[in-house]
Amino acid sequence: MISSTVMKLNHKAVSFLQHQDYETAGNPTTLPTTKQTKQSASTMISSTVMKLNHKAVSFLQHQDYETAANLLQQGIHMVEHAMQDPEEQDEMDQVMPTRIALGPLASVSLSMPQQDSFGIYSHAMTAAARPLTDPDEQDEDQDLALLYGILFYNVGLCLHLQGLVSGTHVFLNQAKHCYETALGTLGAIDRNPLIVLLEVALLNNEAHIHSCLCDHERVGVCLNLMQTAIREVNADYQWRGNLPREFKPFSRNLVLQAGSQLRPAPAA
């Protein structure tokens, strides 16, 4: 009986240690309640991953792309673990007092000039927790998918900027893969203007990479998808063409790119 209790205490302490809750792990006299254990799972997914993302964005803004990418990869591994662990998902199903949403955009300064015809979207994405107003609103799968998409977008932006600074196509191709992975998560998320903003940012930056790699056909595909997404959200929310300022860079890119395609090629 005693050995069984001690082993349970040790198992829970290790779990808290893995989640970087050193105070609870180091206090053998306190046995966490079931509710506390469940809240730890929720905190591990939401709070810890969002803190990692926030730190990564700060490093990204200071052009420390490698450190930022490493922090984001840690967050990605944590989300993947939660997706693959049914027990952890069950715990989250019972206590998730918040929903995850896109937070404020974080501007990242560029150390290289923008192309005249097409601009990279250089804002990193943050995540924020908002209180649940309705228990039926709870959806951990969508929360995980959104966190996954935000993390991959930011990793892609790290690699994208590294590629532009170094002139290395390997980084650009890796960034393109990250953007594509992030886009693949959005199908599991209910659409709203912020989700469309993330989608259009991903398509814009993927188009920018294709432009750098002179793959004009893929640029056109991305631009068409951007235009469709903006047109649909404009109609759904009855903006009547008065797009929020967050969407202005994409509209400008669409106009500039259309103009560049209409200009005659220089004479041989």
Side-chain angles (χ1 to χ4, degrees), residues 124-144:
M125 300 287 177
T126 66
R130 61 178 179 82
L132 279 173
T133 56
D134 181 354
D136 293 336
E137 195 182 5
Q138 191 173 12
D139 193 325
E140 289 72 31
D141 289 337
Q142 290 202 32
D143 286 342
L144 288 174

Side-chain angles (χ1 to χ4, degrees), residues 56 64-74 154-155 158-159 162:
D64 187 346
Y65 306 127
E66 187 174 351
T67 302
N70 287 337
L71 289 168
L72 293 165
Q73 288 288 355
Q74 291 178 43
N154 285 337
V155 174
C158 288
L159 294 166
Q162 275 185 289

Side-chain angles (χ1 to χ4, degrees), residues 182-215:
L183 274 169
T185 69
L186 299 187
I189 305 172
D190 293 337
R191 290 173 71 80
N192 61 51
L194 290 176
I195 299 302
V196 176
L197 179 68
L198 175 56
E199 176 186 1
V200 175
L202 289 162
L203 289 167
N204 181 90
N205 284 1
E206 189 178 340
H208 184 271
I209 291 174
H210 288 306
S211 178
C212 293
L213 301 177
C214 299
D215 188 344

Side-chain angles (χ1 to χ4, degrees), residues 11-199:
H11 178 74
K12 290 181 181 292
V14 169
S15 177
F16 279 101
L17 185 60
Q18 289 173 325
H19 298 159
Q20 300 179 12
D21 187 348
Y22 307 121
E23 183 177 354
T24 305
N27 187 356
T29 63
T30 303
L31 178 62
T33 64
T34 303
K35 182 178 180 181
Q36 287 172 327
T37 305
K38 290 175 179 177
Q39 287 174 336
S40 174
S42 172
T43 301
M44 187 274 286
I45 295 305
S46 57
S47 178
T48 305
V49 173
M50 285 192 289
K51 285 177 182 177
L52 283 170
N53 184 69
H54 183 74
K55 287 180 181 179
V57 169
S58 178
F59 280 107
L60 179 55
Q61 289 176 312
H62 289 88
Q63 300 180 13
D64 187 346
Y65 306 127
E66 187 174 351
T67 302
N70 287 337
L71 289 168
L72 293 165
Q73 288 288 355
Q74 291 178 43
I76 288 170
H77 292 324
M78 292 176 74
V79 174
E80 288 175 342
H81 175 71
M83 289 176 170
Q84 296 165 5
D85 189 339
E87 290 185 6
E88 202 158 276
Q89 277 278 42
D90 289 343
E91 289 179 350
M92 290 179 61
D93 288 341
Q94 298 178 54
V95 276
M96 177 64 89
T98 59
R99 285 296 307 273
I100 306 302
L102 277 177
L105 299 173
S107 179
V108 178
S109 61
L110 300 178
S111 58
M112 76 293 292
Q114 287 268 41
Q115 296 181 28
D116 291 336
S117 61
F118 204 93
I120 181 176
Y121 187 70
S122 59
H123 287 76
M125 300 287 177
T126 66
R130 61 178 179 82
L132 279 173
T133 56
D134 181 354
D136 293 336
E137 195 182 5
Q138 191 173 12
D139 193 325
E140 289 72 31
D141 289 337
Q142 290 202 32
D143 286 342
L144 288 174
L146 179 55
L147 279 174
Y148 206 55
I150 290 171
L151 293 166
F152 265 105
Y153 167 83
N154 285 337
V155 174
L157 186 58
C158 288
L159 294 166
H160 196 161
L161 294 174
Q162 275 185 289
L164 294 177
V165 169
S166 66
T168 306
H169 285 183
V170 171
F171 285 128
L172 294 179
N173 281 310
Q174 290 174 342
K176 179 166 63 71
H177 175 71
C178 288
Y179 291 147
E180 290 169 348
T181 301
L183 274 169
T185 69
L186 299 187
I189 305 172
D190 293 337
R191 290 173 71 80
N192 61 51
L194 290 176
I195 299 302
V196 176
L197 179 68
L198 175 56
E199 176 186 1

